[in-house]
Structure formats: C-alpha cells, structure tokens
Amino acid sequence: LLYACGFGISTPSSLSSSSSSSSVFTDVKEGTVVYDPCCGSGTLLVEAAWIASRIPAGYLRPIEDYGFIHLPEFSESEFNYIKQEEDSHIRDLKSMNIRFLGSDIDAEVLKKARKSILHAHVDPSVISLQCLDFRDLIANPHTFEIDFSVNGPDLIVTNPPYGNRLESDISKLYRSLGQIMKNRTKKPAT
C-alpha cells in the first residue's frame, strides 16, 4: 500500500493497497493495542492506524491526481468543503491511548517500516517496532515493551510469511501464531 501510494518503502513482500485494506477491517477503539507479529514493512500497522484515526481515503493524494477534476461539473469549492468535512473527523491516536506494536525477525525490514510510518504521516510515538521472533513471546511474554502475559494485545493483524519468504516449517509457524492469538491476546468481555 505505502509503496503503491508513492510514499512508502518497497520490500519484496509489500502488500498491495487492496490486499492490506481488506485485511484491516475493524475500527480500532480507544485504549486498543494492535499487534502485528510479522510486520515486515509496516503496511498493516499503518493501515490500522489510518483506520483508527479515521483518515479518509486519498488523504495525502494531491487534487491534481484525481481524474474527475477535468469534468465540467467539478467544483473545487465543493471538493474542498467535502474534504474539510471529512478531515474534521480525524482522531488523535495518542490522546486516545491507541497503540500499535509490530515485530519482525529482520532488522533491515524494520528500518524500512520506520521510514514507511514517517512517510505515511503517522505519529511514530503510537507505533512501536521491535526486532524479535514472535514465537519468543510464547515462552517469555515479557520480551516486548508490554507484558503479554498480563496485558496482551486486543487485536492481531498480520500477513505471515509464506512461499519463498518462509524459512521454516509452515505448520509450526502457523501453530505458533495460533498460540499467540489464543494465549497472549485479551479475551472479549462476556
């Protein structure tokens, strides 16, 4: 997404805009912690931050890039009015105590993720990235900046490795993802 939008950093496994948008389908609420255990270039974390912020689609897109501006019915003043109205709904994630955590085993990819976060105009203080294998959180939930044994994430979003990106047995990796989801996330209130 970030690469396709022209302000991100491309990596071999970057998601397309349509893939990442359809993957993050929830509106993140106040106080939520979102975790991506295989964050790679940070696409899903940025998408989740944008959705939680209520940043409208095309927010960073210059008006010149829209084809409809050449239609005879187009009114720049109406466009600006609608844009201002939509922009007025943007929320400040820091004040809402919404946090996004990402981990990956590749430190170089995390450097690209940090650049992508800045290019996407997301406050870097709401997204924490750490170089670690998420499987370490199963045995040692104190590895991350929050204690996953006490206060794990509310929501997990991820695009796990597959195909040639996968260096180990896929069933073991996915089983570990299931263990993280089952044992290290908050349970819904009943």
Side-chain angles (χ1 to χ4, degrees):
L1 161 75
L2 303 177
Y3 176 71
C5 291
F7 54 85
I9 309 300
S10 177
T11 63
S13 59
S14 295
L15 287 174
S16 69
S17 178
S18 59
S19 297
S20 59
S21 294
S22 63
S23 298
V24 181
F25 55 86
T26 186
D27 186 20
V28 180
K29 308 290 185 223
E30 191 165 338
T32 298
V33 176
V34 178
Y35 175 51
D36 184 349
C38 308
C39 73
S41 62
T43 302
L44 290 177
L45 293 173
V46 169
E47 280 285 319
W50 276 39
I51 290 170
S53 299
R54 296 187 179 154
I55 292 177
Y59 178 70
L60 296 178
R61 187 175 180 183
I63 190 171
E64 306 83 43
D65 288 354
Y66 289 104
F68 60 75
I69 66 169
H70 303 290
L71 296 172
E73 303 85 17
F74 174 72
S75 164
E76 189 168 352
S77 63
E78 285 182 44
F79 174 84
N80 289 332
Y81 173 79
I82 292 168
K83 181 169 178 11
Q84 286 177 346
E85 176 64 26
E86 291 302 312
D87 290 353
S88 72
H89 299 292
I90 294 174
R91 304 185 303 177
D92 176 40
L93 298 177
K94 196 171 190 175
S95 67
M96 296 179 66
N97 195 30
I98 296 175
R99 297 178 53 202
F100 302 89
L101 310 174
S103 63
D104 202 279
I105 58 173
D106 188 337
E108 290 303 311
V109 171
L110 288 176
K111 287 179 185 177
K112 292 178 180 182
R114 287 181 179 89
K115 288 180 183 177
S116 292
I117 291 164
L118 293 174
H119 284 109
H121 298 272
V122 174
D123 181 352
S125 70
V126 300
I127 299 181
S128 301
L129 302 175
Q130 192 165 335
C131 187
L132 65 85
D133 187 328
F134 75 87
R135 293 171 283 200
D136 295 341
L137 294 171
I138 296 167
N140 185 4
H142 314 286
T143 307
F144 217 97
E145 68 176 55
I146 66 167
D147 186 346
F148 274 52
S149 67
V150 176
N151 194 25
D154 300 286
L155 179 64
I156 292 181
V157 294
T158 195
N159 178 30
Y162 55 88
N164 63 357
R165 294 172 49 207
L166 192 59
E167 296 177 7
S168 62
D169 181 14
I170 192 165
S171 62
K172 287 181 183 176
L173 178 77
Y174 285 16
R175 192 174 299 114
S176 296
L177 273 172
Q179 287 177 321
I180 289 287
M181 290 180 205
K182 181 178 178 183
N183 300 318
R184 298 290 182 236
T185 56
K186 292 179 186 172
K187 306 300 181 249
T190 55

